[in-house]
């Protein structure tokens, strides 16, 4: 497969790129800054410099031509303000989906966030609340597209502990933690599981091997 990842320099994306390259897939990662290219090359990915906050649909679609799948793993990241939650977490997701449709790439996987479908509780940090609202709006936009075979993955609280390969993956899992390693492993498995199209799945650490969890979600 050829897979194009938006947000190719993110912590989950770099892990995913290593996994995909290791199993023989061709992978490209979209990054904002040329100096990030070396990290992608080290992960086995082709770096593609393109700013999703300023690019046109046509610009991005050209990078998606010939791809078998697209993964949206971009995010404004910690330290960014409310405005960039809108321009990256929502608007860039919609742009990437538009570009995938324009390029004829049907398989579309989104890294979202747990709690994105509900209004943030009173007292939530305003920037984090904006992030959750932006993620929820992006997910709703993707789910409305008949031209995409989409899967939305909503991990729990992310950790940098070594992956266990054991997860809980379902429409609703309850709150919990999950390692970035295991999120990447689940994403890699989802890309080979077209039966998960049309599903929004929550992910936390658990007791089921990744392959079995994804197969069950596809069933």
């Amino acid at each position: 497969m050829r897979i194009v990842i938006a947000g190719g320099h993110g912590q989950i994306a770099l892990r995913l790129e290593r996994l995909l390259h290791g199993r023989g897939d061709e992978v490209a990662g979209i990054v904002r800054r040329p100096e990030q290219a070396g990290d992608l090359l080290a992960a086995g990915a082709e770096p593609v410099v393109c700013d999703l906050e300023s690019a046109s649909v046509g610009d991005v679609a050209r990078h998606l031509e010939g791809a078998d799948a697209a993964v949206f793993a971009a995010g404004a990241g910690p330290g960014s303000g409310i405005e960039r939650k809108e321009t990256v977490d929502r608007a860039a997701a919609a742009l990437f989906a538009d570009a995938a449709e324009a390029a004829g790439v049907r398989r579309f996987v989104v890294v979202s966030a747990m709690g994105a479908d509900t209004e943030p509780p009173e007292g939530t940090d305003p920037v984090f609340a904006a992030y959750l609202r932006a993620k929820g709006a992006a997910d709703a936009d993707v789910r409305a597209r008949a031209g995409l075979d989409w899967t939305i993955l909503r991990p729990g609280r992310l950790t940098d502990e070594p992956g266990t390969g054991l997860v809980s993956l379902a429409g609703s899992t309850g709150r919990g933690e999950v390692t970035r390693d295991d999120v990447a492993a689940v994403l890699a498995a989802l890309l080979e599981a077209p039966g998960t199209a049309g599903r929004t799945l929550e992910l936390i650490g658990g007791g089921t091997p990744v392959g079995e969890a994804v197969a069950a979600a596809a069933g």
Side-chain angles (χ1 to χ4, degrees), residues 72 74 89 110-113 116 130-140 154:
F72 186 80
D89 294 286
V110 177
V111 183
S112 182
Y131 166 75
L132 290 175
R133 292 188 187 106
K135 281 295 194 185
D139 292 353
R154 291 178 166 171

Side-chain angles (χ1 to χ4, degrees), residues 120-144:
E122 189 175 344
T124 301
D125 173 77
V127 176
F128 187 64
Y131 166 75
L132 290 175
R133 292 188 187 106
K135 281 295 194 185
D139 292 353
D141 176 275
V142 168
R143 286 189 293 218

Side-chain angles (χ1 to χ4, degrees), residues 13-35:
L14 286 168
R15 288 167 166 84
L16 177 59
E17 287 155 6
R18 292 185 199 103
L19 291 175
L20 296 176
H21 175 73
R23 76 182 187 192
D25 289 327
E26 182 182 339
V27 57
I30 295 176
V31 296
R32 291 177 61 225
R33 300 196 298 272
E35 60 266 28

Side-chain angles (χ1 to χ4, degrees), residues 146-160:
L148 297 176
D149 296 328
W150 54 265
T151 302
I152 294 169
L153 183 66
R154 291 178 166 171
R157 194 176 76 82
L158 299 169
T159 77
D160 287 324

